[in-house]
Amino acid sequence: MIGYREIIKEGLWNNNQALVALLGLCPLLAVSNTLVNGMGLGIATTLVLVASNTTVSLIRNWVRQEVRLPVFVLVIASFVTAVELSMNAWFHDLYKILGIFIPLIVTNCTIVGRAEAFASRNNVPRSALDGLSIGTGFTLVLMVLGGLRELIGQGTLFSGLHLMFGEGARGLVFSLGDDYHGLILAILPPGAFFGLGLLIALKYLIDRRLEERAARKAVQAEPATDTAAAPAEG
Amino acid sequence: MKFPVHTSPYGQLPNSVTRLMALVLLALVPGVAALVWYFGWGVMINIVIATTTAVAAEAVILRLRHHRVKRTLMDLSAVVTAVLLAISLPPLLPWWLTVLGTLFAIVFVKHLYGGLGYNPFNPAMAAYVLLLISFPVAMTRWLPPEILANVQLTFGQTLHTILTGHLPDALTWDAVTSATPLDEMRTQLEFNKTISEIRQSPLWGDFGARGWEWVGNWFLVGGLFLLWRKVIAWQIPAGMLAGLLLTAGLFWMFDPETIPFPGFHLFSGGMILGAFFIATDPVTASTTPRGRLIYGFLIGMTVFIIRTWGGYPDAVAFAVLLMNMAAPTIDYYTQPKVFGARKEEDG
């Protein structure tokens, strides 16, 4: 059985749904034009993921194998509806900006994927944690990509923060100054693809560096066995 | 006595990549000279900036990719990309936009897709579109041709403008720059003027606008040279010109007062340059004989469609990029028959 620490690591890094599994790309690319938009959709997705994973895990022994997918989708759809209505009530401006992409969380492959691959086979605490860590990993990528595109495209960070945290947050908006023209392409759809591609490349670069370092450490740790084995092979 | 045994291919063309690219550069000379003649030193400065950036970027990224830097740089493809981009840019464009565009062309469009021979999109045109979409104001500040200009900028003034992004004192952008002929035609048509009214302005020459059409002619000379040296296939330029002329001609016949006549389209904007130098890029174009005709024709047609009903005055870059995407499909359906092969019959 997979450990809790493992679940967190998988969701945030090793099996990051946006960078490794490349699931949920449609909302990822469409709403990541500012950091706040990315964060809003990310949090909504995480909420749905935790709730749906928990519920699916609760009912996993009562749902027949043949009808499990429709049942999962029903569960997910009800949570998405709940999240959508709450956002409409409490974050109305953000709700208007994210628009169609909130109801479309239903179709996000990540969610039904986690329900099928994880929650339907694991107990409730593990499934809930999996939903949280997968959702957080997805949210972080959305925020980094959104922040990157916002910074390059319009020279600001955290613009629209007041949509989530009230008027007081307006002062936190960071700006490169009015002289910055902005590379509008970064905000347009091609910018999303370029940005995601670069992030994936960066992840693989970090992974490779880590592997190399681990390999070097392993060699340094046991140099005696290496030299001892060499003549035997020769 | 020894008889060496050779395997096929027996007939080999002497064309190497370096030779092809050098010939392309040579063929660009008359057109570039004409551009400098009509639009001033800015064109030349842009070429220098872009070429330096392109070679430096190519060297760095080749090193990162563990390729042999010197040998690959010698193929001159980066220089051709840089020159093609530079001559598409407005002569007074601030230097950092030229650098940005060139970096995008070499690093993103060319090398991230695998380098020369693997890039699905024409690097120069992708960079041009990036700049046009992101910096529309700077990218549409064209100079009027020298014969019509009120103000002549000296070499020093041009250099100052490119490096600082500001005109020398006592000059304003409105006095120095003017709309391109395609832009002018479009604006006037939007005011509901007829073509014959519009063409009474001293701006216009025999086909396109004065100055501009001559630049087109000189690029045509270079293009014919490339055809003669068999550097480019005749199908692409022929298809592209036919695509534009036939489509424009058809609509012009029905409505000569709101659709400019085909000759205007032919000698305006980047059409001639595009037909002979840009759409013929061997990497991103279609490669079968019939496919090339179709590819060229579709580019010509798309140019007319975007110029007439689209959001931008010129469209060669957009049309080329769109058809770059279609090129693999066109190739797939136009494979030539192997010599001696017969159509398969049932039974």
Side-chain angles (χ1 to χ4, degrees):
Chain A
M1 188 142 260
I2 186 168
Y4 291 112
R5 185 184 289 265
E6 227 17 49
I7 293 177
I8 294 177
K9 223 171 125 186
E10 285 284 306
L12 290 186
W13 187 259
N14 286 343
N15 190 23
N16 187 305
Q17 296 293 295
L19 293 183
V20 180
L22 296 182
L23 289 178
L25 286 190
C26 163
L28 181 80
L29 296 171
V31 303
S32 64
N33 46 6
T34 70
L35 198 152
V36 171
N37 286 357
M39 184 156 67
L41 191 85
I43 292 175
T45 310
T46 309
L47 286 177
V48 174
L49 252 173
V50 174
S52 74
N53 260 13
T54 312
T55 316
V56 166
S57 177
L58 275 173
I59 59 171
R60 69 185 191 278
N61 295 326
W62 286 282
V63 178
R64 287 182 62 96
Q65 198 64 5
E66 294 83 354
V67 294
R68 69 186 192 286
L69 285 180
V71 172
F72 294 167
V73 173
L74 269 179
V75 169
I76 295 166
S78 14
F79 283 118
V80 170
T81 312
V83 167
E84 187 196 351
L85 290 176
S86 347
M87 282 185 82
N88 196 355
W90 289 302
F91 300 104
H92 187 67
D93 289 325
L94 187 65
Y95 171 83
K96 276 196 293 194
I97 293 175
L98 295 180
I100 184 70
F101 289 99
I102 303 173
L104 275 182
I105 293 176
V106 178
T107 61
N108 190 328
C109 318
T110 306
I111 298 172
V112 76
R114 290 327 283 176
E116 163 73 7
F118 197 95
S120 64
R121 288 155 208 197
N122 286 282
N123 62 17
V124 175
R126 281 195 169 76
S127 303
L129 183 68
D130 179 75
L132 185 65
S133 75
I134 291 276
T136 314
F138 186 70
T139 310
L140 286 179
V141 174
L142 262 171
M143 283 169 64
V144 172
L145 188 60
L148 215 67
R149 291 175 65 191
E150 186 184 343
L151 196 65
I152 299 173
Q154 63 186 51
T156 61
L157 263 185
F158 303 112
S159 76
L161 201 62
H162 61 281
L163 299 178
M164 288 183 83
F165 298 109
E167 288 301 317
R170 262 186 209 277
L172 289 172
V173 176
F174 167 80
S175 171
L176 286 177
D178 294 334
D179 281 348
Y180 186 78
H181 291 296
L183 192 67
I184 298 166
L185 191 85
I187 304 223
L188 298 175
F193 283 98
F194 282 121
L196 183 68
L198 290 176
L199 285 183
I200 293 173
L202 184 71
K203 184 196 178 282
Y204 279 93
L205 189 73
I206 295 174
D207 275 347
R208 199 200 284 169
R209 287 284 141 84
L210 289 176
E211 253 171 50
E212 279 169 11
R213 201 198 286 171
R216 262 207 308 278
K217 258 191 191 153
V219 171
Q220 277 169 358
E222 28 188 327
T225 43
D226 272 15
T227 41
E233 274 172 32
Chain B
M1 187 95 187
K2 252 188 172 177
F3 295 101
V5 180
H6 292 296
T7 54
S8 64
Y10 301 107
Q12 284 176 343
L13 289 169
N15 279 345
S16 69
V17 176
T18 310
R19 187 171 161 274
L20 286 182
M21 294 295 167
L23 281 173
V24 171
L25 285 176
L26 187 67
L28 278 168
V29 169
V32 171
L35 269 178
V36 174
W37 174 263
Y38 285 109
F39 297 100
W41 287 105
V43 183
M44 213 59 221
I45 300 173
N46 278 349
I47 292 180
V48 172
I49 296 175
T51 313
T52 322
T53 317
V55 171
E58 176 112 334
V60 170
I61 204 149
L62 282 174
R63 238 189 125 79
L64 285 177
R65 297 182 61 208
H66 307 294
H67 280 247
R68 272 174 292 184
V69 175
K70 217 167 150 192
R71 220 186 86 173
T72 319
L73 268 186
M74 285 304 289
D75 72 16
L76 293 180
S77 62
V79 178
V80 170
T81 300
V83 173
L84 285 178
L85 173 64
I87 57 181
S88 324
L89 298 175
L92 291 181
L93 194 71
W95 65 273
W96 59 276
L97 286 182
T98 314
V99 170
L100 182 80
T102 317
L103 284 179
F104 182 75
I106 299 289
V107 177
F108 279 80
V109 189
K110 188 175 173 193
H111 278 288
L112 287 191
Y113 283 103
L116 183 67
Y118 294 96
N119 47 317
F121 295 106
N122 187 313
M125 287 304 100
Y128 177 82
V129 165
L130 166 89
L131 292 177
L132 182 65
I133 291 178
S134 300
F135 306 95
V137 177
M139 284 295 285
T140 44
R141 271 186 189 149
W142 269 90
L143 295 176
E146 179 254 345
I147 29 175
L148 295 171
N150 307 318
V151 192
Q152 303 289 343
L153 291 176
T154 62
F155 180 79
Q157 284 175 322
T158 313
L159 193 64
H160 172 88
T161 311
I162 290 177
L163 291 182
T164 62
H166 299 287
L167 283 167
D169 297 333
L171 287 177
T172 58
W173 284 111
D174 286 343
V176 176
T177 59
S178 80
T180 64
L182 280 169
D183 216 354
E184 175 71 17
M185 179 62 88
R186 200 186 171 82
T187 318
Q188 298 290 345
L189 281 174
E190 273 167 15
F191 290 149
N192 284 327
K193 290 198 181 169
T194 59
I195 302 275
S196 42
E197 278 170 10
I198 298 171
R199 284 189 67 90
Q200 279 164 7
S201 151
L203 193 67
W204 307 101
D206 300 327
F207 292 104
R210 285 163 71 190
W212 294 83
E213 53 185 6
W214 278 97
V215 173
N217 282 341
W218 286 110
F219 277 124
L220 184 64
V221 171
L224 293 177
F225 169 76
L226 286 184
L227 277 182
W228 172 56
R229 300 305 302 169
K230 292 204 167 51
V231 174
I232 57 176
W234 64 269
Q235 286 97 335
I236 293 178
M240 192 163 154
L241 300 182
L244 181 81
L245 288 178
L246 288 181
T247 326
L250 189 72
F251 282 91
W252 173 69
M253 278 196 307
F254 284 109
D255 198 356
E257 282 305 319
T258 61
I259 303 285
F261 75 114
F264 166 81
H265 276 294
L266 196 59
F267 283 97
S268 295
M271 192 59 200
I272 301 285
L273 176 71
F276 286 94
F277 291 91
I278 290 169
T280 51
D281 170 22
V283 179
T284 56
S286 183
T287 49
T288 60
R290 259 193 311 149
R292 282 172 169 156
L293 264 178
I294 299 172
Y295 170 84
F297 193 90
L298 288 176
I299 293 182
M301 220 168 85
T302 318
V303 167
F304 175 78
I305 292 172
I306 300 181
R307 274 185 186 176
T308 311
W309 297 291
Y312 286 90
D314 202 2
V316 175
F318 293 110
V320 168
L321 288 183
L322 279 171
M323 289 312 140
N324 282 168
M325 264 190 274
T329 315
I330 297 175
D331 279 350
Y332 179 82
Y333 285 106
T334 54
Q335 289 299 324
K337 250 184 282 174
V338 178
F339 180 71
R342 262 183 296 179
K343 212 175 186 181
E344 261 183 46
E345 283 157 32
D346 291 317

PDB file of all heavy atoms in Angstrom, chain A residues 18-45:
ATOM      1  N   ALA A  18      -0.140  18.056 -14.776  1.00  0.00           N
ATOM      2  CA  ALA A  18       0.046  18.997 -15.873  1.00  0.00           C
ATOM      3  C   ALA A  18       1.378  18.795 -16.574  1.00  0.00           C
ATOM      4  O   ALA A  18       1.480  18.918 -17.791  1.00  0.00           O
ATOM      5  CB  ALA A  18      -0.058  20.421 -15.350  1.00  0.00           C
ATOM      6  N   LEU A  19       2.425  18.462 -15.809  1.00  0.00           N
ATOM      7  CA  LEU A  19       3.758  18.399 -16.411  1.00  0.00           C
ATOM      8  C   LEU A  19       4.139  17.004 -16.871  1.00  0.00           C
ATOM      9  O   LEU A  19       4.938  16.841 -17.789  1.00  0.00           O
ATOM     10  CB  LEU A  19       4.810  18.892 -15.410  1.00  0.00           C
ATOM     11  CG  LEU A  19       4.727  20.370 -15.044  1.00  0.00           C
ATOM     12  CD1 LEU A  19       5.856  20.736 -14.101  1.00  0.00           C
ATOM     13  CD2 LEU A  19       4.796  21.230 -16.281  1.00  0.00           C
ATOM     14  N   VAL A  20       3.599  15.977 -16.207  1.00  0.00           N
ATOM     15  CA  VAL A  20       4.008  14.618 -16.568  1.00  0.00           C
ATOM     16  C   VAL A  20       2.883  13.895 -17.302  1.00  0.00           C
ATOM     17  O   VAL A  20       3.077  13.373 -18.399  1.00  0.00           O
ATOM     18  CB  VAL A  20       4.423  13.831 -15.317  1.00  0.00           C
ATOM     19  CG1 VAL A  20       4.840  12.431 -15.704  1.00  0.00           C
ATOM     20  CG2 VAL A  20       5.549  14.543 -14.603  1.00  0.00           C
ATOM     21  N   ALA A  21       1.694  13.877 -16.673  1.00  0.00           N
ATOM     22  CA  ALA A  21       0.590  13.151 -17.297  1.00  0.00           C
ATOM     23  C   ALA A  21      -0.009  13.952 -18.456  1.00  0.00           C
ATOM     24  O   ALA A  21      -0.670  13.398 -19.317  1.00  0.00           O
ATOM     25  CB  ALA A  21      -0.485  12.847 -16.265  1.00  0.00           C
ATOM     26  N   LEU A  22       0.232  15.262 -18.493  1.00  0.00           N
ATOM     27  CA  LEU A  22      -0.324  16.149 -19.516  1.00  0.00           C
ATOM     28  C   LEU A  22      -1.837  16.006 -19.608  1.00  0.00           C
ATOM     29  O   LEU A  22      -2.406  15.964 -20.694  1.00  0.00           O
ATOM     30  CB  LEU A  22       0.314  15.896 -20.877  1.00  0.00           C
ATOM     31  CG  LEU A  22       1.810  16.191 -20.961  1.00  0.00           C
ATOM     32  CD1 LEU A  22       2.310  15.955 -22.362  1.00  0.00           C
ATOM     33  CD2 LEU A  22       2.099  17.619 -20.541  1.00  0.00           C
ATOM     34  N   LEU A  23      -2.490  15.903 -18.431  1.00  0.00           N
ATOM     35  CA  LEU A  23      -3.949  15.850 -18.415  1.00  0.00           C
ATOM     36  C   LEU A  23      -4.500  17.235 -18.075  1.00  0.00           C
ATOM     37  O   LEU A  23      -3.809  18.057 -17.478  1.00  0.00           O
ATOM     38  CB  LEU A  23      -4.425  14.839 -17.373  1.00  0.00           C
ATOM     39  CG  LEU A  23      -4.185  13.374 -17.734  1.00  0.00           C
ATOM     40  CD1 LEU A  23      -4.658  12.469 -16.615  1.00  0.00           C
ATOM     41  CD2 LEU A  23      -4.889  13.021 -19.024  1.00  0.00           C
ATOM     42  N   GLY A  24      -5.732  17.460 -18.452  1.00  0.00           N
ATOM     43  CA  GLY A  24      -6.363  18.735 -18.123  1.00  0.00           C
ATOM     44  C   GLY A  24      -5.746  19.908 -18.840  1.00  0.00           C
ATOM     45  O   GLY A  24      -5.708  21.022 -18.321  1.00  0.00           O
ATOM     46  N   LEU A  25      -5.227  19.659 -20.049  1.00  0.00           N
ATOM     47  CA  LEU A  25      -4.526  20.732 -20.757  1.00  0.00           C
ATOM     48  C   LEU A  25      -5.465  21.848 -21.205  1.00  0.00           C
ATOM     49  O   LEU A  25      -5.060  22.998 -21.273  1.00  0.00           O
ATOM     50  CB  LEU A  25      -3.810  20.173 -21.987  1.00  0.00           C
ATOM     51  CG  LEU A  25      -2.551  19.372 -21.695  1.00  0.00           C
ATOM     52  CD1 LEU A  25      -1.818  19.094 -22.974  1.00  0.00           C
ATOM     53  CD2 LEU A  25      -1.654  20.135 -20.744  1.00  0.00           C
ATOM     54  N   CYS A  26      -6.724  21.491 -21.515  1.00  0.00           N
ATOM     55  CA  CYS A  26      -7.619  22.518 -22.044  1.00  0.00           C
ATOM     56  C   CYS A  26      -7.801  23.662 -21.069  1.00  0.00           C
ATOM     57  O   CYS A  26      -7.504  24.808 -21.391  1.00  0.00           O
ATOM     58  CB  CYS A  26      -8.941  21.886 -22.453  1.00  0.00           C
ATOM     59  SG  CYS A  26     -10.243  23.071 -22.654  1.00  0.00           S
ATOM     60  N   PRO A  27      -8.227  23.410 -19.811  1.00  0.00           N
ATOM     61  CA  PRO A  27      -8.321  24.540 -18.876  1.00  0.00           C
ATOM     62  C   PRO A  27      -6.954  25.118 -18.562  1.00  0.00           C
ATOM     63  O   PRO A  27      -6.797  26.318 -18.416  1.00  0.00           O
ATOM     64  CB  PRO A  27      -8.957  23.918 -17.629  1.00  0.00           C
ATOM     65  CG  PRO A  27      -8.747  22.467 -17.755  1.00  0.00           C
ATOM     66  CD  PRO A  27      -8.696  22.163 -19.206  1.00  0.00           C
ATOM     67  N   LEU A  28      -5.949  24.257 -18.492  1.00  0.00           N
ATOM     68  CA  LEU A  28      -4.608  24.714 -18.147  1.00  0.00           C
ATOM     69  C   LEU A  28      -4.139  25.780 -19.132  1.00  0.00           C
ATOM     70  O   LEU A  28      -3.624  26.822 -18.747  1.00  0.00           O
ATOM     71  CB  LEU A  28      -3.637  23.530 -18.173  1.00  0.00           C
ATOM     72  CG  LEU A  28      -2.199  23.870 -17.814  1.00  0.00           C
ATOM     73  CD1 LEU A  28      -2.058  23.963 -16.320  1.00  0.00           C
ATOM     74  CD2 LEU A  28      -1.234  22.869 -18.362  1.00  0.00           C
ATOM     75  N   LEU A  29      -4.333  25.514 -20.411  1.00  0.00           N
ATOM     76  CA  LEU A  29      -3.841  26.465 -21.407  1.00  0.00           C
ATOM     77  C   LEU A  29      -4.780  27.653 -21.542  1.00  0.00           C
ATOM     78  O   LEU A  29      -4.348  28.759 -21.828  1.00  0.00           O
ATOM     79  CB  LEU A  29      -3.685  25.763 -22.754  1.00  0.00           C
ATOM     80  CG  LEU A  29      -2.640  24.647 -22.739  1.00  0.00           C
ATOM     81  CD1 LEU A  29      -2.678  23.853 -24.027  1.00  0.00           C
ATOM     82  CD2 LEU A  29      -1.256  25.212 -22.532  1.00  0.00           C
ATOM     83  N   ALA A  30      -6.069  27.425 -21.312  1.00  0.00           N
ATOM     84  CA  ALA A  30      -7.025  28.490 -21.618  1.00  0.00           C
ATOM     85  C   ALA A  30      -7.088  29.569 -20.549  1.00  0.00           C
ATOM     86  O   ALA A  30      -7.244  30.736 -20.860  1.00  0.00           O
ATOM     87  CB  ALA A  30      -8.407  27.898 -21.840  1.00  0.00           C
ATOM     88  N   VAL A  31      -6.970  29.209 -19.289  1.00  0.00           N
ATOM     89  CA  VAL A  31      -7.175  30.241 -18.264  1.00  0.00           C
ATOM     90  C   VAL A  31      -5.878  30.695 -17.613  1.00  0.00           C
ATOM     91  O   VAL A  31      -5.909  31.496 -16.690  1.00  0.00           O
ATOM     92  CB  VAL A  31      -8.136  29.788 -17.154  1.00  0.00           C
ATOM     93  CG1 VAL A  31      -9.460  29.392 -17.740  1.00  0.00           C
ATOM     94  CG2 VAL A  31      -7.537  28.680 -16.339  1.00  0.00           C
ATOM     95  N   SER A  32      -4.747  30.206 -18.080  1.00  0.00           N
ATOM     96  CA  SER A  32      -3.506  30.584 -17.405  1.00  0.00           C
ATOM     97  C   SER A  32      -2.942  31.890 -17.954  1.00  0.00           C
ATOM     98  O   SER A  32      -1.745  32.030 -18.086  1.00  0.00           O
ATOM     99  CB  SER A  32      -2.472  29.467 -17.539  1.00  0.00           C
ATOM    100  OG  SER A  32      -2.127  29.292 -18.886  1.00  0.00           O
ATOM    101  N   ASN A  33      -3.810  32.855 -18.277  1.00  0.00           N
ATOM    102  CA  ASN A  33      -3.256  34.105 -18.792  1.00  0.00           C
ATOM    103  C   ASN A  33      -2.876  35.086 -17.691  1.00  0.00           C
ATOM    104  O   ASN A  33      -2.099  35.994 -17.926  1.00  0.00           O
ATOM    105  CB  ASN A  33      -4.185  34.759 -19.815  1.00  0.00           C
ATOM    106  CG  ASN A  33      -5.599  34.763 -19.342  1.00  0.00           C
ATOM    107  OD1 ASN A  33      -5.880  34.389 -18.207  1.00  0.00           O
ATOM    108  ND2 ASN A  33      -6.501  35.195 -20.192  1.00  0.00           N
ATOM    109  N   THR A  34      -3.402  34.903 -16.499  1.00  0.00           N
ATOM    110  CA  THR A  34      -2.861  35.649 -15.362  1.00  0.00           C
ATOM    111  C   THR A  34      -2.738  34.702 -14.177  1.00  0.00           C
ATOM    112  O   THR A  34      -3.380  33.649 -14.143  1.00  0.00           O
ATOM    113  CB  THR A  34      -3.755  36.830 -14.922  1.00  0.00           C
ATOM    114  OG1 THR A  34      -4.936  36.290 -14.336  1.00  0.00           O
ATOM    115  CG2 THR A  34      -4.127  37.740 -16.074  1.00  0.00           C
ATOM    116  N   LEU A  35      -1.907  35.117 -13.240  1.00  0.00           N
ATOM    117  CA  LEU A  35      -1.673  34.272 -12.074  1.00  0.00           C
ATOM    118  C   LEU A  35      -2.961  34.039 -11.296  1.00  0.00           C
ATOM    119  O   LEU A  35      -3.259  32.931 -10.870  1.00  0.00           O
ATOM    120  CB  LEU A  35      -0.636  34.959 -11.190  1.00  0.00           C
ATOM    121  CG  LEU A  35       0.092  34.125 -10.144  1.00  0.00           C
ATOM    122  CD1 LEU A  35       1.455  34.734  -9.893  1.00  0.00           C
ATOM    123  CD2 LEU A  35      -0.675  34.032  -8.860  1.00  0.00           C
ATOM    124  N   VAL A  36      -3.754  35.110 -11.132  1.00  0.00           N
ATOM    125  CA  VAL A  36      -4.959  34.988 -10.310  1.00  0.00           C
ATOM    126  C   VAL A  36      -5.983  34.072 -10.974  1.00  0.00           C
ATOM    127  O   VAL A  36      -6.610  33.237 -10.305  1.00  0.00           O
ATOM    128  CB  VAL A  36      -5.549  36.380 -10.028  1.00  0.00           C
ATOM    129  CG1 VAL A  36      -6.894  36.264  -9.365  1.00  0.00           C
ATOM    130  CG2 VAL A  36      -4.590  37.162  -9.160  1.00  0.00           C
ATOM    131  N   ASN A  37      -6.142  34.203 -12.299  1.00  0.00           N
ATOM    132  CA  ASN A  37      -7.062  33.296 -12.999  1.00  0.00           C
ATOM    133  C   ASN A  37      -6.637  31.852 -12.797  1.00  0.00           C
ATOM    134  O   ASN A  37      -7.460  30.971 -12.529  1.00  0.00           O
ATOM    135  CB  ASN A  37      -7.076  33.608 -14.495  1.00  0.00           C
ATOM    136  CG  ASN A  37      -7.825  34.871 -14.791  1.00  0.00           C
ATOM    137  OD1 ASN A  37      -8.386  35.491 -13.900  1.00  0.00           O
ATOM    138  ND2 ASN A  37      -7.824  35.267 -16.049  1.00  0.00           N
ATOM    139  N   GLY A  38      -5.333  31.612 -12.941  1.00  0.00           N
ATOM    140  CA  GLY A  38      -4.824  30.252 -12.758  1.00  0.00           C
ATOM    141  C   GLY A  38      -5.100  29.749 -11.356  1.00  0.00           C
ATOM    142  O   GLY A  38      -5.555  28.622 -11.162  1.00  0.00           O
ATOM    143  N   MET A  39      -4.858  30.621 -10.390  1.00  0.00           N
ATOM    144  CA  MET A  39      -5.069  30.210  -9.006  1.00  0.00           C
ATOM    145  C   MET A  39      -6.549  29.911  -8.768  1.00  0.00           C
ATOM    146  O   MET A  39      -6.890  28.907  -8.136  1.00  0.00           O
ATOM    147  CB  MET A  39      -4.597  31.330  -8.066  1.00  0.00           C
ATOM    148  CG  MET A  39      -4.670  30.999  -6.612  1.00  0.00           C
ATOM    149  SD  MET A  39      -3.521  31.990  -5.656  1.00  0.00           S
ATOM    150  CE  MET A  39      -4.202  33.616  -5.829  1.00  0.00           C
ATOM    151  N   GLY A  40      -7.432  30.756  -9.285  1.00  0.00           N
ATOM    152  CA  GLY A  40      -8.871  30.550  -9.087  1.00  0.00           C
ATOM    153  C   GLY A  40      -9.318  29.204  -9.628  1.00  0.00           C
ATOM    154  O   GLY A  40      -9.948  28.414  -8.916  1.00  0.00           O
ATOM    155  N   LEU A  41      -8.949  28.934 -10.870  1.00  0.00           N
ATOM    156  CA  LEU A  41      -9.382  27.663 -11.444  1.00  0.00           C
ATOM    157  C   LEU A  41      -8.701  26.493 -10.741  1.00  0.00           C
ATOM    158  O   LEU A  41      -9.308  25.443 -10.536  1.00  0.00           O
ATOM    159  CB  LEU A  41      -9.087  27.612 -12.948  1.00  0.00           C
ATOM    160  CG  LEU A  41      -9.767  26.414 -13.575  1.00  0.00           C
ATOM    161  CD1 LEU A  41     -11.193  26.755 -13.927  1.00  0.00           C
ATOM    162  CD2 LEU A  41      -9.030  25.911 -14.780  1.00  0.00           C
ATOM    163  N   GLY A  42      -7.431  26.698 -10.353  1.00  0.00           N
ATOM    164  CA  GLY A  42      -6.706  25.623  -9.665  1.00  0.00           C
ATOM    165  C   GLY A  42      -7.373  25.256  -8.368  1.00  0.00           C
ATOM    166  O   GLY A  42      -7.567  24.071  -8.065  1.00  0.00           O
ATOM    167  N   ILE A  43      -7.757  26.262  -7.591  1.00  0.00           N
ATOM    168  CA  ILE A  43      -8.388  25.975  -6.297  1.00  0.00           C
ATOM    169  C   ILE A  43      -9.733  25.291  -6.499  1.00  0.00           C
ATOM    170  O   ILE A  43     -10.054  24.303  -5.821  1.00  0.00           O
ATOM    171  CB  ILE A  43      -8.543  27.279  -5.486  1.00  0.00           C
ATOM    172  CG1 ILE A  43      -7.157  27.777  -5.078  1.00  0.00           C
ATOM    173  CG2 ILE A  43      -9.398  27.044  -4.252  1.00  0.00           C
ATOM    174  CD1 ILE A  43      -7.157  29.105  -4.378  1.00  0.00           C
ATOM    175  N   ALA A  44     -10.503  25.787  -7.488  1.00  0.00           N
ATOM    176  CA  ALA A  44     -11.794  25.144  -7.759  1.00  0.00           C
ATOM    177  C   ALA A  44     -11.593  23.679  -8.122  1.00  0.00           C
ATOM    178  O   ALA A  44     -12.305  22.792  -7.628  1.00  0.00           O
ATOM    179  CB  ALA A  44     -12.517  25.886  -8.882  1.00  0.00           C
ATOM    180  N   THR A  45     -10.590  23.421  -8.968  1.00  0.00           N
ATOM    181  CA  THR A  45     -10.325  22.043  -9.377  1.00  0.00           C
ATOM    182  C   THR A  45      -9.910  21.192  -8.189  1.00  0.00           C
ATOM    183  O   THR A  45     -10.336  20.041  -8.039  1.00  0.00           O
ATOM    184  CB  THR A  45      -9.218  22.014 -10.447  1.00  0.00           C
ATOM    185  OG1 THR A  45      -9.548  22.941 -11.459  1.00  0.00           O
ATOM    186  CG2 THR A  45      -9.077  20.637 -11.045  1.00  0.00           C
TER     187      THR A  45
END
